[in-house]
C-alpha cells in the first residue's frame, strides 16, 4: 500500500479526471464503486441545483470521491467550493489559476488538496504546503492545460523533485499506460479521455460517437474554441480537442479570430455546442482517444485498467 492509498483508502490507484461536461456525479460514483476514486468536474459558475444533483450521486458512498475546479473560475467566487465542501469530498483539485483561497477552504474542511501541473513553475507552486497531491499532466492530455511538457518527462521531474504523492495524467488509457506511470514513481493515475465513452459519462451521444471513431492523430491543442466562446481561459492554457472544420480554419489564424470575435460568432458556437455539431463545436479529448473505441461501463473500464498488476508482475519477473 502506498502513501496515497493509505490516505484515501481506495482499492485501485485510478482517478477519473475531473472533466467539466463529462465527469458528473454518476461517473464519479461508478468509478468509486469500482474501486477507484471518482472525480466530479465543476464547470464555471455551476448552479446550486447542478451541484446538488451531482453531489447526491456520491454523498452516500463509502468509498472516496472528489471534485475538481478551474482555478480561474473560483478565484473570485468561492461559493461553488463552499457548496461542494458541505458534501464532504475526500479530494479537492484546483488547477489553472491561483488555487490559494479555494484550497485553504478545502483543507479547513478536511479534504486533501490537489493541483494539476504542466511545467516546472507549476510544480514549484504545487510544492507549497497548501497542496497535498501533485497531478502531473502531460501535453497529451485532453481538455485544457499546458501544451509544453510530455507526460513521461514531466512525471520524472515531479517524482524526483517532490516527496508528495504524484498522480500521473496525460495519454493514459490502458493497463500498459497505468503500469508505466506507476513504474515511474506515480502513486496513481488520472484518466480522462478513456472515460468519455463510459456509459455513466455525461455528454451528447454525438460526442461519444466522435470519440469512438477518432484516432491518435485526430486531436489538436488550440485556443480557438475558447476565443470563439469568449471563455476567459488564460492564453497559456490551450484546449486539446478533436480536430474539426472550425479548428482547421482558425488554428493558425488566432490573432485574426481574436480581432473578429463578436456576439454573432459566440451565438454560432453556442448553437453548435447545443446541437453537438462536431464540425464546429469542441469535443475535448486527448491523444489517448485511440483507446476509447467502444461504449463501456465505468466498471468495465476500471477492470481493464486494473490489469496493470499482471503487467508489472510480469516485468518484475523478466527483469529480476
Amino acid at each position: 500500500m502506498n502513501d496515497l492509498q493509505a490516505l484515501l483508502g481506495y482499492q485501485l490507484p485510478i482517478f477519473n479526471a475531473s472533466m467539466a461536461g463529462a465527469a458528473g456525479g454518476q461517473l464519479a460514483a461508478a468509478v468509486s464503486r469500482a474501486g477507484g476514486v471518482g472525480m466530479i468536474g465543476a464547470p464555471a459558475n455551476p448552479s446550486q441545483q447542478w451541484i446538488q444533483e451531482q453531489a447526491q450521486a456520491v454523498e452516500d458512498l463509502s468509498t472516496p470521491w472528489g471534485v475538481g475546479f478551474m482555478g480561474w473560475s473560483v478565484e473570485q467566487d468561492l461559493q461553488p467550493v463552499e457548496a461542494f465542501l458541505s458534501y464532504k469530498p475526500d479530494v479537492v483539485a484546483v488547477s489553472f489559476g491561483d488555487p490559494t483561497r479555494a484550497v485553504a477552504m478545502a483543507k479547513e474542511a478536511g479534504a486533501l488538496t490537489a493541483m494539476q501541473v504542466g511545467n516546472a513553475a507549476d510544480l514549484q507552486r504545487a510544492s507549497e504546503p497548501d497542496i497535498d497531491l501533485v497531478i502531473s499532466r502531460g501535453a497529451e492530455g485532453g481538455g485544457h492545460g499546458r501544451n509544453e511538457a510530455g507526460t513521461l518527462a514531466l512525471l520524472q521531474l515531479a517524482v524526483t523533485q517532490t516527496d508528495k504523492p504524484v498522480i500521473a495524467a496525460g495519454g493514459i488509457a490502458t493497463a500498459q499506460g497505468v503500469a508505466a506511470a506507476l513504474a515511474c514513481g506515480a502513486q496513481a493515475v488520472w484518466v480522462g479521455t478513456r472515460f468519455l465513452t463510459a456509459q455513466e459519462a455525461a455528454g451528447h451521444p454525438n460526442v461519444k460517437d466522435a470519440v469512438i471513431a477518432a484516432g491518435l492523430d485526430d486531436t489538436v491543442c488550440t485556443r480557438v474554441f475558447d476565443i470563439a466562446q469568449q471563455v476567459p481561459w488564460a492564453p497559456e492554457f490551450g484546449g486539446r480537442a478533436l480536430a474539426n472544420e472550425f479548428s482547421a480554419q482558425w488554428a493558425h489564424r488566432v490573432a485574426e479570430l481574436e480581432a473578429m470575435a463578436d456576439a454573432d460568432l459566440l451565438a454560432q458556437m453556442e448553437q453548435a455546442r447545443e446541437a453537438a455539431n462536431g464540425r464546429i463545436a469542441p469535443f475535448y479529448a486527448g491523444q489517448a482517444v485511440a483507446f476509447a473505441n467502444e461504449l463501456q461501463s465505468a466498471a468495465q473500464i476500471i477492470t481493464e485498467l486494473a490489469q496493470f498488476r499482471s503487467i508489472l508482475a510480469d516485468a518484475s519477473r523478466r527483469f529480476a
Side-chain angles (χ1 to χ4, degrees), residues 10 18-19 22 35 52 77 88 93 107 158 170 176 181 248 285-286 288 294 311:
Y10 53 73
S18 52
M19 304 171 288
Q52 182 178 17
D77 181 9
K88 303 187 183 306
K107 288 184 78 70
Q176 290 84 354
E294 61 179 317
I311 294 170

Side-chain angles (χ1 to χ4, degrees), residues 164-241:
K164 297 180 181 184
V166 175
I167 302 171
I172 300 170
T174 65
Q176 290 84 354
V178 177
L182 298 179
C184 189
Q187 293 195 21
V189 295
W190 183 266
V191 178
T193 299
R194 182 69 192 274
F195 283 109
L196 287 175
T197 54
Q199 292 166 348
E200 298 89 349
H204 196 285
N206 289 0
V207 177
K208 296 187 179 185
D209 289 345
V211 168
I212 288 171
L216 180 72
D217 300 329
D218 293 332
T219 70
V220 59
C221 187
T222 181
R223 294 179 54 227
V224 298
F225 297 116
D226 294 327
I227 294 169
Q229 295 175 98
Q230 301 177 27
V231 181
W233 278 94
E236 60 265 30
F237 300 124
R240 185 171 293 280

Side-chain angles (χ1 to χ4, degrees), residues 24 27-28 52 75 87 98 102 134 142 187 246-247 251 256 266 270 307:
L27 178 61
Q52 182 178 17
E75 282 180 23
Y87 294 95
D98 184 1
V134 177
Q187 293 195 21
F246 189 85
S247 65
E256 183 179 347
L266 175 61
E270 289 177 342
Q307 297 305 308

Side-chain angles (χ1 to χ4, degrees), residues 24-26 28-29 33 40 48-61 65 83-84 86-87:
Q26 294 299 321
R33 290 193 183 102
I40 296 171
Q48 282 292 325
Q49 179 180 351
W50 184 89
I51 292 172
Q52 182 178 17
E53 289 172 353
Q54 309 318 306
Q56 284 175 342
V58 295
E59 63 177 338
D60 293 329
L61 289 176
W65 67 277
F84 265 112
S86 69
Y87 294 95

